[in-house]
Amino acid sequence: MSTTPELTPHLQELYEVVLRRNPGELEFHQAVLEVFESLTPVARKHPEFAETKVLERLCEPERQIIFRVPWVNDRGEVEINRGFRVEFNSALGPYKGGLRFHPSVYLGIVKFLGFEQTFKNALTGMPIGGGKGGSDFDPKGRSDREVMAFCQSFMTELYRHLGEYTDVPAGDIGVGSREIGYLFGQYKRITNRYESGVLTGKGLGWGGSLVRKEATGYGTVFFADEMLRARGESFDGKRVVVSGSGNVAIYAVEKAEQLGATVVACSDSGGYIVDESGLDLDLLKRIKEVDRGRISEYAEQRTGASFVADGCIWDVDCDIALPCATQNELDEQAAITLVKNGVRVVAEGANMPSTPAATRVFLDADVLFAPGKAANAGGVATSALEMQQNASRDSWSHEYTEERLAGIMRGIHERCAASADEYGAPGNYILGANTSSFVQLAEAVLALGVI
């Protein structure tokens, strides 16, 4: 393995330990390295963190749970999936993070997401720790009965590890309000408790929060808008490209349009659409949220729109790029293309959608770049607001909840910007996010003793 020049000898040694202890978990390795590359100035200022092995503790999950999920499909056949919950760190509060149901899920993915979640949750300033979970089950193409059967089996094992003061999952890719409903129903049945705060992303009629569905996408745009405002600009009149067409992407489109931008493209796993007149949000929502259809159907129903099968959405020129699909979707060549075509802002709505090489391209080109742990923290922040409402048996208005979300995202931007300034890299939101969240976590870890 080649030495990473950005790391101090101590950080390099620790990174090699992480590689040895977690073989084959490439996404986790990438997430750890991305944080380590920011910590040299912190290490110089706070030698006590190295002496007390704080970072070693933060790289090791407090608990990793892997379990079998047997269930019966509509043909009467038994199917077996694998379930995961990685309770990464609870120094700041109960574990908090989503569940992902997708064939790509394995331990390395869940650990990467849990590690990122720990730092992301710290940035919100709210009392929540980091965790993540999921399964290699694919809900796509399954009937409601099959999804229910799987969710009930999944929760039958997972419930014993959860609690509103212990571990509070939410949704992620493949886990929406339908899945959360089935999961919560099984938890309630097994425990005989209506413990609303044990899951977030619930339906509005049974303990959910307004703005939760919109929160990650809205928050991503709020953060990008704060970066623009710091340079005396705004979304108004900007040309925007959003990858993905799931929950995060749809509501990033909605908020960007509300702020005066023209969103011209979005995508799914089959390709991408371009609509130069601006995406028809109502049509997009109907196809993806109601019909559960493919993005190609948008071009079939919208005059003037075109569909590109299996293409790269980052070939579409834009002022602002919002990657909202999945990890490592935006590589170095795509970043070079975006810069060549004049991109000025990139804000990550997904978790680690840009490869390390891509982020270096953006930083070298002086593109405003917001890492996912900062830009997409609006989802988990609003989940914490949902927990507050559940704890107080209260329900807030849409306007008040969105106002709280916007304030949280402003606070995250201010913390990232201030930390980047403090550690000698003004405007570097990657370094700002990593250093700010790390210092907060490190101080909490030390305060709680060796546990």
Side-chain angles (χ1 to χ4, degrees), residues 99-120:
L99 299 170
R100 175 176 295 191
F101 293 169
H102 191 272
S104 66
V105 170
Y106 78 108
L107 184 60
I109 288 277
V110 179
K111 284 170 69 174
F112 132 62
L113 292 169
F115 183 79
E116 284 281 292
Q117 195 77 48
T118 299
F119 288 82
K120 179 190 305 184

Side-chain angles (χ1 to χ4, degrees), residues 422-443:
E422 178 183 354
Y423 290 103
N428 186 331
Y429 289 94
I430 298 174
L431 185 139
N434 288 334
T435 53
S436 174
S437 54
F438 171 72
V439 170
Q440 184 178 2
L441 284 162
E443 291 175 346

